[in-house]
Amino acid sequence: MLATHSPGGLAEKKKRRQRYVEKGGKCNVQHGNVRETYRYLTDIFTTLVDLKWRFSLLVFTLAYAITWLFFGLIWWFIAYCRGDLDHLEDHTWTPCVNNLNGFVSAFLFSIETETTIGYGHRVITDKCPEGIILLLLQAILGSMVNAFMVGCMFVKISQPNKRAETLVFSSHAVVSLRDDRLCLMFRVGDLRSSHIVEASIRAKLIKSKQTQEGEFIPLNQTDINVGFETGDDRLFLVSPLIISHEINEHSPFWEVSKEQLAKDEFEIVVILEGMVEATGMTCQARSSYLMDEVLWGHRFMSVLSLEDGFYEVDYNSFHQTFEVPTPSCSAKELAEATARMDAHLYWSIPSRLDEKVEEGTEKEAGDKERNGSLANPESESKV
């Protein structure tokens, strides 16, 4: 029976617990009471890159405006101290900067100097050593500001965060049999034609626990093996793939049954990493599944079909699942039941062979008795 599940989930749900990671990949954690805020300034480049766009544009604008105003004020101060502003109409006077007649013209000259526009109307003269020194300082500092701010904007623009928007995860995870073993599965896909290089997948179980000593560990993280030992965690993500976690004795779901799964509180966080083929930058996409988003006894619909000369992926069926016969017991109970059946079969085969051997022995003994009885009358007749 086909079962289509939207990201909103089933109609009747118990109250959701707070997510650790949102479905879209955002980590639902806020840092409070951080007193050592100076640490953000020690890595000012990363701090500026991590700012929201409106604040980044504000810092970008202020960085240039403040430097222009600062050096414009110094140029005006030099002209004021030299008396250039008092000899504006004296053509025999050699000012520090030609045609600088006030703060506005000093500010414009500062912009021309730092941006190397050079309109030619205002120009520094060789009779002003302090102006020459200031020109050198502004040229050097302006280059540093350009490198820093343009670098920040370039890194922010080229961040592969939006690339993760085209990496999709199935809205639900499923539990069903694969090769007679219970497996936890979810599906990942890439909507773009440009591929993710060196893609790898990993999963974490987020669940609070209490140790034997009574220590309570909130949101404890446990690894979920999705093929690290066999290399299945390294993906060739050309078409959607179903990631499988075999529930064995090393799995945190080893003793979890269908009934216990519905009562338990946990969150499965899945992380897909790889390099963007176009830029070579590392990209990470995240999603999560709560306990009511894990469907027991379901399997994913196939999305891949063979067309004329190519394979076609139908993303309309990407999130769709259908029910399949699945034991409701835990993987541990299933393994024990299978072991008992194997043991019974193992011991039943020798016992049947023994019965056949005994039947054969009895038959041979009966034949000998009959042959002996036939031989006795002949001996008596001879006597």
Side-chain angles (χ1 to χ4, degrees):
M1 180 179 178
L2 181 63
T4 305
H5 299 278
S6 61
L10 304 175
E12 295 181 2
K13 288 184 178 180
K14 59 183 180 181
K15 185 178 179 181
R16 285 178 178 269
R17 68 160 221 168
Q18 184 64 52
R19 285 185 179 273
Y20 189 64
V21 176
E22 299 291 342
K23 293 293 285 185
K26 179 182 178 182
C27 296
N28 199 13
V29 177
Q30 296 184 1
H31 301 281
N33 298 325
V34 181
R35 298 181 179 180
E36 298 177 348
T37 54
Y38 67 91
R39 295 182 180 272
Y40 293 104
L41 298 178
T42 58
D43 187 13
I44 186 65
F45 185 84
T46 305
T47 301
L48 292 176
V49 171
D50 289 341
L51 288 176
K52 294 182 178 180
W53 268 108
R54 54 180 177 270
F55 297 118
S56 295
L57 294 175
L58 178 62
V59 172
F60 184 83
T61 304
L62 288 177
Y64 285 102
I66 290 174
T67 53
W68 295 338
L69 287 171
F70 175 73
F71 282 102
L73 181 63
I74 296 178
W75 285 115
W76 175 84
F77 183 74
I78 291 175
Y80 177 79
C81 293
R82 282 174 51 87
D84 295 343
L85 301 179
D86 298 330
H87 299 81
L88 295 177
E89 302 298 332
D90 188 355
H91 298 286
T92 61
W93 179 266
T94 304
C96 183
V97 179
N98 289 328
N99 300 312
L100 195 151
N101 52 19
F103 177 74
V104 175
S105 60
F107 175 68
L108 294 176
F109 179 70
S110 175
I111 295 177
E112 295 175 21
T113 302
E114 190 166 332
T115 58
T116 64
I117 294 176
Y119 291 117
H121 184 63
R122 281 174 287 271
V123 60
I124 190 172
T125 62
D126 56 356
K127 303 298 183 181
C128 183
E130 61 272 23
I132 296 174
I133 295 174
L134 181 60
L135 178 65
L136 294 175
L137 290 176
Q138 187 172 4
I140 295 172
L141 185 61
S143 299
M144 294 174 62
V145 171
N146 282 331
F148 190 81
M149 298 310 301
V150 172
C152 286
M153 297 302 292
F154 173 77
V155 171
K156 192 170 183 65
I157 292 172
S158 60
Q159 275 185 319
N161 295 341
K162 296 302 180 182
R163 180 63 177 89
E165 298 293 333
T166 53
L167 297 173
V168 292
F169 297 87
S170 58
S171 58
H172 289 77
V174 298
V175 176
S176 61
L177 289 175
R178 262 194 176 186
D179 297 328
D180 295 331
R181 296 184 180 182
L182 281 177
C183 295
L184 172 71
M185 294 170 282
F186 58 92
R187 182 146 59 186
V188 296
D190 187 2
L191 301 179
R192 285 189 179 273
S193 299
S194 59
H195 309 309
I196 295 294
V197 183
E198 297 290 335
S200 62
I201 190 77
R202 46 196 180 95
K204 292 280 188 180
L205 175 65
I206 309 298
K207 182 180 179 181
S208 301
K209 63 173 290 187
Q210 188 169 5
T211 64
Q212 297 179 357
E213 295 77 15
E215 179 187 4
F216 179 74
I217 305 177
L219 302 177
N220 182 63
Q221 299 185 13
T222 305
D223 277 330
I224 298 177
N225 188 3
V226 289
F228 176 76
E229 298 176 354
T230 60
D232 292 337
D233 62 326
R234 294 186 289 274
L235 311 178
F236 182 51
L237 197 59
V238 177
S239 60
L241 299 175
I242 297 177
I243 310 301
S244 176
H245 162 66
E246 180 182 331
I247 304 178
N248 53 26
E249 59 272 13
H250 303 294
S251 171
F253 302 101
W254 175 239
E255 300 180 358
V256 177
S257 63
K258 180 179 180 180
E259 182 180 358
Q260 186 178 354
L261 182 71
K263 297 178 181 179
D264 210 347
E265 290 190 2
F266 61 86
E267 183 175 352
I268 300 173
V269 177
V270 292
I271 305 168
L272 176 62
E273 292 180 323
M275 290 190 301
V276 181
E277 188 178 35
T279 63
M281 301 186 70
T282 302
C283 171
Q284 184 181 93
R286 298 178 293 266
S287 187
S288 68
Y289 303 99
L290 293 178
M291 54 280 181
D292 54 355
E293 295 172 341
V294 179
L295 305 178
W296 191 286
H298 283 246
R299 190 176 295 164
F300 286 108
M301 289 284 295
S302 177
V303 297
L304 199 62
S305 61
L306 178 60
E307 301 296 334
D308 187 13
F310 61 93
Y311 292 96
E312 183 178 8
V313 178
D314 181 16
Y315 278 98
N316 287 330
S317 304
F318 184 83
H319 301 284
Q320 292 181 356
T321 65
F322 62 96
E323 294 184 0
V324 292
T326 305
S328 59
C329 62
S330 65
K332 180 180 180 181
E333 295 171 344
L334 181 62
E336 291 174 351
T338 304
R340 286 194 298 268
M341 292 180 61
D342 293 342
H344 176 71
L345 181 62
Y346 175 80
W347 289 109
S348 63
I349 293 176
S351 62
R352 292 175 182 176
L353 292 176
D354 292 341
E355 290 177 358
K356 291 182 179 181
V357 171
E358 291 178 358
E359 291 177 357
T361 305
E362 292 177 356
K363 184 177 181 181
E364 290 178 358
D367 292 340
K368 289 181 179 179
E369 290 179 357
R370 286 194 296 271
N371 293 334
S373 62
L374 292 174
N376 287 335
E378 293 180 358
S379 60
E380 289 178 356
S381 62
K382 289 179 180 179
V383 174

